[in-house]
Amino acid sequence: MDPNLLFWRSEGQSLLSRLQIWFNLLDPTVLLSSDAEIKNAHVLLGSGQKLNEKVGFSSVHADSGAVVASLLPHSSVKPALFWQFLLHSYSAGFNYANRNSSSEESNNTSLKQLLLIAGTVSYATCAGALPQIFINRLGVRSAPIQTLFRSILPIPLCAVLAFFNVYIVRSGESESGIQVFDPNGTPVGLSKAAGDKAVRETALSRAALFGTTAAVPNLLLLLLQRLFQRSALLAAPVRHISVALVLGMMIPVSFSLFPQLGTIEKDNVEEELQAAADGGPFYYHRGL
């Protein structure tokens, strides 16, 4: 059985175990591993041994942080557009690179996929900058309305755009299907239902990541507003530090919300695949 499949099936099915796995895989010291250590870890994993799993799994695609400034309020439209463009460009690239690559259509980057990525980045960039555009265009001077546009509206907007980015960039998995496996790890075919479930789960986890990262610092500053009125110089450092801390903590949490090795009941897949189920569910790689 594929060591990736075996690993996530045996150790990644509970939220706490997935969270522990992702904290290990996201350990920055892994970046210091040499090519020889990485190759050796892959050989050991392929032979069924568990030595150096952190190095092995963190350096291989399961199936074959983001820009902090984009989450901060801006004083004009141009900086808002610039940082939103960086955020959504990075997000689109990350989503595409970490898709489920078993889809026949997604193995090669087509013109359609490039247009989808470009359209997603353009739309999300403009939509993400809308609060600042409204403030400038409408000449908003009222402090409560500025608070609404700069601190409240960006919270659901960040979550929705993060969901949208994943769902559109990885839409090929829903259209063409992804590889599903029986309980023995044997590939049985491509399933559009599994592809849609994988993309939806990943999109929800990304919405939780960016929605929470936008919410906590903004709500924190609203709660401490009186303090910052007396010490205005504290507001910017507190906002920057809180965004960085929340983002850093939410990355492994959001990755852990759904199993990396997803399951789908045989009644929910295509009829031609149901006969291959041996009394159990099908498995699929969700992507990241």
Side-chain angles (χ1 to χ4, degrees):
M1 183 182 290
D2 179 3
N4 283 302
L5 190 67
L6 181 62
F7 175 78
W8 287 108
R9 181 176 173 181
S10 62
E11 301 190 30
Q13 291 304 305
S14 73
L15 177 61
L16 291 179
S17 64
R18 293 195 298 270
L19 188 59
Q20 183 180 6
I21 288 170
W22 279 115
F23 269 115
N24 286 332
L25 296 184
L26 294 171
D27 185 347
T29 61
V30 173
L31 297 174
L32 302 177
S33 301
S34 65
D35 289 342
E37 289 175 318
I38 294 173
K39 290 178 181 178
N40 184 54
H42 290 176
V43 171
L44 293 174
L45 287 172
S47 63
Q49 300 183 50
K50 292 190 175 183
L51 182 62
N52 231 353
E53 279 179 343
K54 179 167 67 175
V55 175
F57 284 110
S58 63
S59 58
V60 66
H61 193 289
D63 180 61
S64 45
V67 183
V68 171
S70 61
L71 299 173
L72 303 176
H74 305 284
S75 58
S76 62
V77 174
K78 288 183 179 179
L81 288 171
F82 174 74
W83 290 112
Q84 288 293 324
F85 174 77
L86 286 187
L87 171 66
H88 294 293
S89 296
Y90 174 83
S91 296
F94 181 90
N95 294 333
Y96 180 72
N98 291 279
R99 72 198 186 284
N100 183 304
S101 60
S102 63
S103 171
E104 293 177 343
E105 188 173 301
S106 68
N107 282 332
N108 296 308
T109 305
S110 63
L111 177 60
K112 175 185 175 182
Q113 185 64 55
L114 292 175
L115 290 174
L116 278 175
I117 293 174
T120 299
V121 172
S122 301
Y123 178 86
T125 297
C126 295
L130 277 178
Q132 187 60 48
I133 292 174
F134 285 150
I135 289 175
N136 283 36
R137 289 291 183 181
L138 300 177
V140 175
R141 295 292 180 267
S142 170
I145 297 179
Q146 285 199 5
T147 299
L148 172 66
F149 279 113
R150 290 187 173 182
S151 300
I152 305 301
L153 183 59
I155 296 174
L157 188 60
C158 281
V160 169
L161 291 179
F163 184 98
F164 168 80
N165 196 309
V166 175
Y167 209 84
I168 299 301
V169 170
R170 292 180 52 178
S171 60
E173 296 169 42
S174 302
E175 296 173 0
S176 302
I178 60 175
Q179 187 67 254
V180 292
F181 306 85
D182 66 16
N184 297 320
T186 305
V188 297
L190 297 176
S191 170
K192 295 181 181 179
D196 184 68
K197 186 170 184 283
V199 173
R200 187 171 62 252
E201 288 175 345
T202 306
L204 286 172
S205 70
R206 203 76 84 246
L209 168 62
F210 286 104
T212 304
T213 303
V216 173
N218 284 342
L219 295 178
L220 178 63
L221 262 67
L222 287 176
L223 292 174
L224 301 177
Q225 193 170 21
R226 290 185 178 180
L227 171 64
F228 295 137
Q229 286 177 349
R230 296 194 299 268
S231 303
L233 294 178
L234 289 177
V238 169
R239 185 188 293 274
H240 284 73
I241 293 171
S242 60
V243 167
L245 289 176
V246 174
L247 179 62
M249 293 179 62
M250 279 302 300
I251 287 175
V253 171
S254 66
F255 287 175
S256 305
L257 291 179
F258 298 97
Q260 192 64 23
L261 184 66
T263 59
I264 184 170
E265 297 298 328
K266 70 173 186 177
D267 294 337
N268 296 329
V269 301
E270 292 77 355
E271 291 185 2
E272 58 269 22
L273 299 178
Q274 292 180 10
D278 188 18
F282 288 111
Y283 296 88
Y284 59 86
H285 290 296
R286 179 172 61 83
L288 191 61

